Amino acid sequence: MTVPLRKFARIRRFLALLFLAGLAVTPVLAQTRTKAHPSATSPCRVEAVDYKGWHAQQLSNRWVQLMLLPQNGGRLIQVIFAGHPYLFVNPKYEGKYQPPSQSQWFNYGGDKLWLLPEGNDDEQHWMGNSDLLDDGPYSFRKISEGEHCEVELTGPADPRTGIQFQRTLGMDAGSPRIHFHATMKNTTAHTVEWSMQSVSQYDTADPGTPSRINHDFRTFAPANPASSYLNRYHVRFGPAENPAVSVREDGLFVLRYVHMAAELWLDSTAGWLAVVDGSSRYGMVERFQFEASRAYPGKASIIFWTNGPEMKLNDDGEASLSQGGEGLPYYLEAEINSPLCRLQPGESCSLETEWFPARTGSEFHAVTDAGIVVRPLRAAGLENGKIGLAGAFAVFFPGRLMAHFYNQQGAELDSVPVADVDPGEPVSLQTEVASPGKPARISLHLEDWGGLDRGSLQEVSLDSRGASLK
């Protein structure tokens, strides 16, 4: 049976259109894949902005915006990650500047540098309040922008303590990691000894109703197994029996925010703390280098302060709480201490810290170089011969999760790509991967788009059936 020529011509034109459409679709799919795994990102920027009425300087990349107030004690007033603000900003002082005063404290909020030990016992204690160190005007200098952004803030020399602070803040274009390098310099003609603090005030108000407490706000830090403190932490201020504080079986110190004044000291040696908002599912990890050979003030490397009413005793020995309200806003301070520095005239010492904003969850189990273990990794051998992987994580860098398989002798059998990930999105893993023989261990690594291995998120051992061992 023959096909009429006119009908045959229509069929040929239709087939040609299909072929051309296929050619047109191919580049679009390729572009989509390129966007999903970017080899390059937009540059980071440094620019002057208005923030809540303040003349601020902003460092930004596609994940993070840092708001700096040079004139207000050189503080980092806000960190915004994937649209989420982390730090407490006091509405009472928005857009304002108050000159330094030793008789009162103008708490603007944000993050700043302080000194330890605090107090008014003698000249070896810092009185605090809004003196030059806390509230003096800092100079601002842009060092670089583009692939790497860095700025420098330099404060005035304080004649009372003999200290001058300087701080550089930096970020890369390719990740939300934030780096801080802080120095304190002895500007006197005699020896001084101080510890430097990074003090961060996190907003603990309910995200939906700021007049209420966020009951899902917690902090974590590894308790020292050989701690010098009773209960592996020290209650410096507040009630000794505090139901908001605990040390879990896995060794993590946990503090749930309650609106009551309390100060808790930890001699943690692991070099990190984490702040987790379970209601909004955002968290922040602050890292530092613990120096075992040096002395810390009161042995504390980390201090947490929960802001709220203070418990007091009257003359009759009866306990009461001071009044809350507008003067006692909802925030929690996470403080990282440097070792004590004994400085000769003109000498300086430094404190290096890193911040990693991340997407978290209602659970929290560990921090690694690559990210946060929100829900532990589980593996199970399947009937189809594959291995099922499940878990939840937050990652610190964009890239790809790779499963590394090892045999009982420790030799690597294979590495398999598992999922593309981004710090701005939570990672909920539920997938199947081909099993290379009979692996005894699986380690889940994060490899960034530059090909760098950022470390393991978690490693699990497998039984003979390919299931993870607890």
Side-chain angles (χ1 to χ4, degrees):
M1 182 176 180
T2 59
V3 179
L5 290 177
R6 186 177 299 175
K7 185 175 182 181
F8 179 79
R10 287 200 300 268
I11 293 173
R12 187 171 60 183
R13 285 197 299 272
F14 177 72
L15 292 174
L17 286 172
L18 281 178
F19 176 73
L20 291 172
L23 290 178
V25 168
T26 302
V28 174
L29 293 176
Q31 289 172 9
T32 302
R33 286 194 294 268
T34 302
K35 289 179 181 178
H37 344 162
S39 58
T41 58
S42 56
C44 61
R45 300 181 61 188
V46 179
E47 56 193 325
V49 296
D50 177 89
Y51 180 70
K52 295 184 179 295
W54 282 303
H55 297 297
Q57 295 288 337
Q58 175 180 274
L59 278 73
S60 63
N61 62 19
R62 73 181 184 94
W63 291 278
V64 179
Q65 295 86 47
L66 307 181
M67 303 295 179
L68 302 169
L69 300 182
Q71 72 276 15
N72 292 65
R75 70 193 60 220
L76 170 61
I77 193 66
Q78 190 55 275
V79 177
I80 302 171
F81 167 68
H84 175 76
Y86 284 84
L87 301 181
F88 167 72
V89 179
N90 196 339
K92 182 178 180 180
Y93 296 110
E94 281 185 9
K96 299 178 182 177
Y97 173 71
Q98 302 290 340
S101 170
Q102 291 192 357
S103 61
Q104 56 184 317
W105 181 37
F106 307 113
N107 183 18
Y108 302 104
D111 168 85
K112 62 268 185 181
L113 295 175
W114 277 2
L115 288 178
L116 279 179
E118 288 185 78
N120 55 9
D121 298 354
D122 52 39
E123 289 187 345
Q124 299 305 308
H125 289 76
W126 179 57
M127 287 182 59
N129 292 324
S130 293
D131 62 1
L132 277 176
L133 293 179
D134 178 80
D135 202 18
Y138 277 53
S139 66
F140 175 84
R141 181 169 73 94
K142 178 170 73 174
I143 298 174
S144 64
E145 67 178 339
E147 187 63 26
H148 177 75
C149 285
E150 190 170 59
V151 299
E152 179 186 83
L153 294 157
T154 303
D158 176 36
R160 165 68 180 80
T161 60
I163 289 298
Q164 181 181 30
F165 284 142
Q166 187 176 76
R167 200 181 200 190
T168 59
L169 293 83
M171 64 166 59
D172 295 326
S175 82
R177 168 185 172 269
I178 308 161
H179 176 255
F180 301 85
H181 174 81
T183 63
M184 60 176 177
K185 180 182 179 181
N186 179 4
T187 59
T188 74
H190 60 86
T191 303
V192 299
E193 185 176 56
W194 296 102
S195 168
M196 182 171 25
Q197 278 190 309
S198 165
V199 180
S200 313
Q201 292 186 345
Y202 287 94
D203 191 346
T204 52
D206 187 301
T209 311
S211 61
R212 300 179 59 186
I213 297 174
N214 184 347
H215 293 287
D216 293 324
F217 197 96
R218 295 164 295 158
T219 63
F220 301 86
N224 185 347
S227 176
S228 300
Y229 300 143
L230 182 66
N231 298 324
R232 297 163 72 179
Y233 63 89
H234 171 56
V235 180
R236 180 76 171 185
F237 185 87
E241 297 293 331
N242 189 337
V245 183
S246 64
V247 176
R248 296 192 326 200
E249 291 184 0
D250 60 5
L252 282 182
F253 168 89
V254 184
L255 170 62
R256 177 174 54 86
Y257 178 75
V258 293
H259 195 219
M260 179 174 62
E263 186 172 279
L264 302 139
W265 290 27
L266 282 80
D267 53 354
S268 180
T269 62
W272 64 265
L273 65 84
V275 175
V276 176
D277 180 352
S279 61
S280 65
R281 306 297 176 92
Y282 282 86
M284 179 76 80
V285 173
E286 298 189 25
R287 285 191 176 278
F288 63 97
Q289 185 66 45
F290 179 79
E291 299 183 52
S293 62
R294 299 178 63 187
Y296 283 78
K299 300 183 179 180
S301 58
I302 295 172
I303 297 175
F304 292 114
W305 166 268
T306 54
N307 198 54
E310 297 181 8
M311 182 175 291
K312 296 182 178 181
L313 292 176
N314 62 19
D315 294 338
D316 294 329
E318 295 178 346
S320 63
L321 284 177
S322 61
Q323 293 296 314
E326 183 182 351
L328 294 170
Y330 303 137
Y331 68 82
L332 176 145
E333 288 184 357
E335 305 170 8
I336 292 175
N337 304 333
S338 78
L340 285 162
C341 295
R342 189 168 180 82
L343 302 174
Q344 301 296 323
E347 286 186 338
S348 300
C349 69
S350 62
L351 173 64
E352 301 273 351
T353 55
E354 292 178 310
W355 288 14
F356 295 91
R359 297 302 309 274
T360 53
S362 57
E363 294 183 47
F364 182 94
H365 290 274
V367 169
T368 73
D369 288 339
I372 298 171
V373 179
V374 177
R375 190 172 66 250
L377 179 66
R378 293 287 181 264
L382 305 177
E383 292 182 358
N384 60 10
K386 293 184 177 182
I387 293 180
L389 297 177
F393 306 91
V395 295
F396 295 153
F397 301 91
R400 175 174 294 157
L401 296 185
M402 301 289 295
H404 295 261
F405 295 87
Y406 299 91
N407 64 18
Q408 287 186 338
Q409 288 72 42
E412 185 169 359
L413 299 173
D414 198 4
S415 61
V416 178
V418 174
D420 295 349
V421 292
D422 187 274
E425 298 294 334
V427 180
S428 183
L429 194 62
Q430 189 78 43
T431 190
E432 299 176 7
V433 295
S435 176
K438 294 184 177 180
R441 290 183 292 118
I442 299 177
S443 184
L444 190 64
H445 279 240
L446 173 61
E447 184 179 287
D448 69 20
W449 294 126
L452 291 175
D453 186 344
R454 292 292 182 172
S456 173
L457 279 168
Q458 194 176 2
E459 183 173 346
V460 294
S461 297
L462 307 178
D463 62 19
S464 58
R465 297 170 299 174
S468 54
L469 299 172
K470 292 184 180 180

